[in-house]
Amino acid sequence: MYRPFLAEMGKDRLAIAVDTPGYGGSDAPPAPTDLDAYAETLTAVLDELALDEIDLFGAHTGSRLAVEIAHLRPRQVQQLILFGAAIYTEEERAKQKVTFAQPKPVEADGGHLAKRWTGWAAWRWPGVTDDMIGRYAADSVQDFERHWWAHQAVFEHDMAARLAHLEQEVLVLCTKDDIEEPTRRAREVIRHGRYVERLDWGHWFLEVDPRGAAALAREFYDA
């Protein structure tokens, strides 16, 4: 989903996307782990690339990773944009753990694949194509045995406490998606920065409107 956005942002700065361990093209950790371990792995990438100062952009799980990297590297990380920064109630957290943070059975008739498609398709909005939905659905079953590992880490992470202690400038972006309401709560805990609501955007907005997304990012990062 980042490719069109990277092309836009890369016109006037170095823009890099990193696959979380166990997802995309990255090797998986040997066992389920926590957000700290994921974040430490990504800081090793920063060291390998020898980047002195960076801005971060995180989406959903990536927002939590961005927050943890900012805590680990307070001088290196300048600003953060968090697309979806969910702060869950205990009831919501318990429900999410049951829904997302445990393995799902493989169904002999392929029903588990159809459920992935229909689950993502439910969030279609104008401009979202079947190809976009298909990529999300395919990514979510690429490693079916381990797809839930990062979710497990997410639901043990205290976004409210971690976000409230960040010294960097933060922009929390809330869109029309499955964590809209939990993300709204983040505006009450941001120390430095601002909250932006774009309910005309949803999942895939980085592909549907990469220029608009890049314009918002540049305005914040360059202020």
Side-chain angles (χ1 to χ4, degrees):
M1 70 178 184
Y2 280 104
R3 286 175 184 164
F5 180 66
L6 287 173
E8 285 294 324
M9 294 302 292
K11 291 177 179 178
D12 59 6
R13 69 201 69 207
L14 177 65
I16 298 169
V18 181
D19 286 333
T20 307
Y23 298 87
S26 291
D27 292 336
T33 187
D34 57 21
L35 259 293
D36 290 345
Y38 282 118
E40 287 170 2
T41 301
L42 296 178
T43 59
V45 175
L46 303 181
D47 292 340
E48 183 70 21
L49 296 171
L51 301 174
D52 294 328
E53 293 183 349
I54 60 169
D55 296 317
L56 296 177
F57 186 108
H60 286 227
T61 301
S63 291
R64 295 173 185 273
L65 287 169
V67 167
E68 291 311 306
I69 293 168
H71 278 289
L72 289 170
R73 300 293 177 90
R75 294 183 180 180
Q76 193 173 18
V77 175
Q78 304 300 296
Q79 295 154 127
L80 304 85
I81 295 178
L82 308 179
F83 159 38
I87 295 175
Y88 295 111
T89 66
E90 286 307 311
E91 181 180 0
E92 289 169 340
R93 187 192 304 271
K95 183 178 179 180
Q96 294 284 63
K97 284 182 178 181
V98 171
T99 304
F100 296 108
Q102 58 185 6
K104 295 288 192 296
V106 174
E107 300 176 22
D109 62 355
H112 60 293
L113 304 177
K115 289 172 183 175
R116 291 288 172 168
W117 176 278
T118 56
W120 281 117
W123 294 102
R124 185 196 294 268
W125 52 283
V128 175
T129 67
D130 286 344
D131 284 346
M132 293 178 188
I133 295 171
R135 285 196 298 275
Y136 271 39
D139 282 348
S140 65
V141 296
Q142 183 171 309
D143 190 351
F144 204 77
E145 292 180 359
R146 291 181 287 210
H147 73 277
W148 56 277
W149 285 13
H151 284 118
Q152 177 176 288
V154 162
F155 301 125
E156 298 299 330
H157 180 260
D158 189 344
M159 175 63 97
R162 301 300 280 164
L163 190 55
H165 287 89
L166 276 187
E167 294 292 341
Q168 295 95 331
E169 290 284 321
V170 178
L171 185 153
V172 170
L173 175 61
C174 179
T175 70
K176 191 72 177 175
D177 61 26
D178 49 315
I179 59 170
E180 175 188 343
E181 192 56 41
T183 294
R184 283 200 176 105
R185 298 171 191 140
R187 63 183 157 186
E188 306 299 329
V189 299
I190 302 169
R191 292 188 66 184
H192 308 290
R194 57 194 174 99
Y195 169 90
V196 173
E197 197 162 285
R198 287 291 305 262
L199 300 186
D200 56 325
W201 283 347
H203 288 294
W204 301 281
F205 83 94
L206 294 175
E207 294 184 77
V208 175
D209 188 14
R211 291 185 179 180
L216 181 147
R218 280 196 183 90
E219 187 274 331
F220 177 71
Y221 290 144
D222 299 346

